């Protein structure tokens, strides 16, 4: 199990990248289907907020495992 601080930071960065990419993909899919065209800017900010919230939660979870 990798407990190096550098590896843990890279894990958190990877999780945040996956979240941002996935939520942006959902947003773009909704825009492509015509569902969210009028609200695309709001969906962008919601996706960004969710990425930050879940990124902080994942960082807390990853770094709370350090003994």
């Amino acid at each position: 199990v990798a407990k190096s601080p550098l590896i843990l930071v890279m894990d958190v960065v990877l999780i945040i990248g996956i979240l941002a990419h996935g939520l942006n993909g959902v947003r773009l899919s909704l825009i492509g289907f015509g569902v969210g065209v009028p609200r695309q800017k709001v969906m962008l900010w919601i996706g960004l907020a969710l990425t930050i919230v879940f990124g902080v939660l994942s960082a807390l979870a990853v770094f709370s495992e350090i003994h």
Side-chain angles (χ1 to χ4, degrees):
V1 178
K3 297 285 184 176
S4 166
L6 178 63
I7 299 297
L8 295 176
V9 168
M10 290 191 312
D11 282 345
V12 172
V13 169
L14 178 65
I15 291 169
I16 291 171
I18 291 169
L19 280 169
H21 189 75
L23 290 171
N24 193 45
V26 170
R27 180 182 73 90
L28 290 176
S29 295
L30 289 173
I31 291 170
F33 286 126
V35 176
V37 174
R39 296 176 295 274
Q40 59 181 313
K41 197 168 196 176
V42 173
M43 289 191 303
L44 174 69
W45 288 109
I46 290 171
L48 180 63
L50 287 174
T51 299
I52 291 170
V53 168
F54 287 118
V56 168
L57 290 175
S58 69
L60 290 174
V62 166
F63 286 108
S64 69
E65 294 292 321
I66 299 176
H67 296 280

